[in-house]
Amino acid sequence: MDYRRLKDLPEELLPRERLFQYGADALSNREILAILLRTGVKGENVLDFSERLLTETGGLSGLARLTVHELTRYRGMGTAKAAELKAALELGRRSVSSDPLVRPVINSPQDIAHLVMEEMRYLDREHFRVVSLSTKNHVLGISPISVGSLNSSLVHPRECFKEAIRRNSNAIILLHNHPSGDPTPSNEDIDVTRRLSDGGQILGIEVLDHVIIGDNRYISLKERGIL
């Protein structure tokens, strides 16, 4: 039977009721998304709407990469729904990154590139971030520092080391993207890296590397012998 309206579904098949009865772990991605979206659109109940959205965006990972503005381009996604969905996805991401039991360990530039590549390769502006590490190279957090073309005025040592000090970090890794897709470091990238490395030596927080993310490519200034 084709249930066009969600209220026509048997109660035991409704996403919210299934969550109450079996717990969130028992729900499919479509059902969880349906609970967040709450209502469908003309011709689609909320489950069908959720299924279409997952298909068109490439699943949860695809949804997570979209901005609020990009989400509103999909039929049925107004600004309120898009904002609520983006906030829920971000909350989930933060809950994972803040759990010490699942914090990734960084042992190479490839590790840090793997951690951020899928998100940062699609950004349309340069985002500079600092990755704080423990004594065992566990990621303690990734702090946004600036958005825009990298230069000395945007990237101040005070801002770069503030979160690292607060987290009692042993070391940091500098991280930013090149929207052009080419991760080749500019002279400004190199100057900023050396300036922050000098600042880290004064503070006793080592700058281990500066990783530049391109389109499915990355460059480590440490591997290049620049740092």
Side-chain angles (χ1 to χ4, degrees):
M1 183 179 294
D2 182 17
Y3 296 99
R4 278 294 175 191
R5 298 180 303 174
L6 200 64
K7 66 180 182 179
D8 293 335
L9 279 171
E11 186 170 313
E12 64 272 16
L13 296 181
L14 295 173
R16 191 173 297 171
E17 280 65 27
R18 278 176 42 77
L19 185 146
F20 290 148
Q21 186 169 357
Y22 302 110
D25 289 350
L27 271 60
S28 66
N29 291 343
R30 179 180 77 145
E31 290 172 315
I32 293 173
L33 186 56
I35 291 173
L36 291 172
L37 294 175
R38 297 195 306 276
T39 59
V41 297
K42 186 175 181 180
E44 290 179 319
N45 64 42
V46 70
L47 282 169
D48 293 337
F49 178 27
S50 300
E51 183 70 33
R52 173 172 60 82
L53 198 59
L54 287 168
T55 300
E56 291 179 351
T57 59
L60 288 179
S61 61
L63 270 178
R65 288 196 295 269
L66 297 175
T67 65
V68 172
H69 178 69
E70 289 169 336
L71 282 169
T72 60
R73 295 172 183 168
Y74 291 87
R75 187 171 70 87
M77 288 295 291
T79 53
K81 265 190 170 67
E84 290 168 1
L85 179 55
K86 189 64 181 177
L89 290 166
E90 176 62 17
L91 196 61
R93 185 192 68 80
R94 292 186 186 187
S95 71
V96 171
S97 64
S98 64
D99 187 344
L101 297 178
V102 294
R103 285 175 181 163
V105 178
I106 304 301
N107 291 316
S108 68
Q110 183 178 6
D111 291 338
I112 193 69
H114 177 75
L115 184 65
V116 302
M117 179 68 73
E118 283 308 304
E119 177 201 359
M120 296 192 72
R121 64 185 289 198
Y122 296 111
L123 297 174
D124 59 1
R125 288 186 292 171
E126 288 194 17
H127 288 242
F128 187 86
R129 299 171 182 176
V130 170
V131 183
S132 299
L133 301 176
S134 71
T135 54
K136 295 185 178 180
N137 284 355
H138 286 91
V139 174
L140 300 176
I142 302 178
S143 306
I145 303 299
S146 69
V147 178
S149 297
L150 197 61
N151 58 56
S152 300
S153 61
L154 278 176
V155 182
H156 194 280
R158 180 180 61 248
E159 298 303 319
C160 291
F161 288 100
K162 181 169 66 176
E163 280 300 300
I165 293 170
R166 188 183 70 81
R167 298 177 192 272
N168 198 28
S169 306
N170 181 65
I172 63 172
I173 292 174
L174 311 176
L175 179 67
H176 85 283
N177 65 300
H178 281 179
S180 66
D182 180 2
T184 302
S186 66
N187 290 332
E188 192 69 57
D189 295 340
I190 295 170
D191 290 343
V192 166
T193 301
R194 289 173 173 162
R195 188 165 62 92
L196 293 177
S197 179
D198 291 343
Q201 289 179 15
I202 295 171
L203 293 169
I205 299 176
E206 184 180 2
V207 177
L208 294 180
D209 202 349
H210 185 170
V211 177
I212 303 175
I213 302 297
D215 187 7
N216 209 30
R217 296 182 292 159
Y218 71 91
I219 281 178
S220 158
L221 271 65
K222 181 76 170 180
E223 289 182 335
R224 289 287 182 97
I226 296 171
L227 185 60

